Amino acid sequence: MSFEALLAEAAAVPTEGWDFSWFDGRATEERPPWRYSALLADRLSRATAAADLQTGGGEVVSEARRRPRLLFATETWPPNVHVARHNLPDALVVQVAEGACLPFRAESLDLVTSRHPTHTPWPEVIRVLRPGGTVLTQQIGAGTNRELSEFFLGSLPPPPSTTDHLRRALAPLDVITLREATLRVEFFDVAAVAHFLRKVIWTVPDFTIPRYRDRLRDMHDHITATGSFLSHSRRVLVEARKPQ
């Protein structure tokens, strides 16, 4: 496909939800060794009242075959709320503004989960957990896809330590697991790059296809010459328990 056709395709793909199946054959991302979806399914099967924060379209939670009787999900972006309500008919899905208090009573949940949140309200998570309750989350590590960000934005300052930040935030809890992984991300055409940047908006915060057209042309030339563009994501698995 030509450069123009690839950009037109990337611009036409909807960005709602966290279904990444469109990227099949166009981009790959190595998975962390701990299999978050399996861990989530196990914890949900044993919970009585749980909430998934920044659920996207509810895709990851919907994979769990056994879910608690009381299941809640929060999402910040209105189009995703509609997708999540479709994917999670057994859950109460509510829209919650970024940084707002969680709409749950203190000590009302025995499980809080979240996969790739843009922001985790740790004081609120601690507030709503029951004593003995747990939080399970896969966090996006600082410096994720730095190579991709710097291709469009130029040199960036060194990223902060994600684990140092998490240790401070988790201080009131008993940490069960805190693991990091660095993973290969590979893009095989410029449409995959452009759609990814439209969907994962924090990678290049002011990204639009017209604004970065020249750099997208450079990206197209790079992939044509070398076969792909290589970047790296960083993931951190956290599981912690609120003391009795």
Side-chain angles (χ1 to χ4, degrees):
M1 297 175 67
S2 70
F3 173 67
E4 299 294 343
L6 287 166
L7 287 193
E9 184 179 7
V13 181
T15 57
E16 293 85 353
W18 287 115
D19 179 1
F20 283 75
S21 60
W22 180 86
F23 289 95
D24 290 350
R26 315 187 79 145
T28 60
E29 180 177 4
E30 187 182 4
R31 297 303 179 201
W34 49 73
R35 296 186 61 218
Y36 176 80
S37 59
L39 294 173
L40 175 64
D42 175 72
R43 305 309 186 264
L44 286 171
S45 71
R46 295 187 274 131
T48 57
D52 191 56
L53 310 184
Q54 295 193 24
T55 196
E59 294 88 354
V60 182
V61 174
S62 69
E63 294 177 4
R65 297 181 62 182
R66 294 180 58 195
R67 301 195 284 264
R69 183 175 59 86
L70 291 177
L71 178 62
F72 307 93
T74 72
E75 175 55 28
T76 58
W77 195 39
N80 279 352
V81 173
H82 297 293
V83 177
R85 286 173 178 163
H86 172 76
N87 288 332
L88 298 172
D90 55 337
L92 176 60
V93 181
V94 294
Q95 184 178 342
V96 177
E98 186 84 31
C101 295
L102 296 177
F104 309 118
R105 295 192 307 272
E107 300 186 352
S108 60
L109 302 173
D110 54 13
L111 177 66
V112 174
T113 63
S114 190
R115 179 181 179 270
H116 301 171
T118 57
H119 167 74
T120 305
W122 288 110
E124 282 292 284
V125 170
I126 294 166
R127 179 184 68 82
V128 302
L129 276 177
R130 296 168 178 163
T134 59
V135 54
L136 175 73
T137 174
Q138 182 172 290
Q139 300 273 309
I140 300 171
T144 281
N145 283 312
R146 183 181 181 87
E147 299 94 333
L148 185 59
S149 298
E150 291 193 331
F151 186 93
F152 289 90
L153 299 173
S155 181
L156 297 171
S161 169
T162 301
T163 52
D164 286 350
H165 164 74
L166 287 171
R167 287 190 181 97
R168 291 191 294 270
L170 294 165
L173 304 177
D174 296 328
V175 176
I176 302 168
T177 302
L178 184 59
R179 295 180 62 186
E180 290 184 277
T182 299
L183 311 163
R184 285 175 61 95
V185 180
E186 204 163 3
F187 298 91
F188 300 108
D189 67 40
V190 73
V193 173
H195 179 53
F196 182 85
L197 295 177
R198 290 180 62 232
K199 193 176 184 74
V200 187
I201 57 176
W202 50 85
T203 309
V204 179
D206 64 342
F207 180 82
T208 65
I209 290 175
R211 180 176 291 135
Y212 284 94
R213 184 182 182 83
D214 290 345
R215 289 303 283 158
L216 287 166
R217 167 64 78 175
D218 295 337
M219 175 66 75
H220 176 67
D221 292 344
H222 172 86
I223 293 174
T224 300
T226 64
S228 68
F229 181 85
L230 178 63
S231 189
H232 292 86
S233 65
R234 290 170 177 80
R235 300 289 181 256
V236 184
L237 177 68
V238 176
E239 186 168 21
R241 181 177 294 114
K242 189 172 183 176
Q244 293 282 358

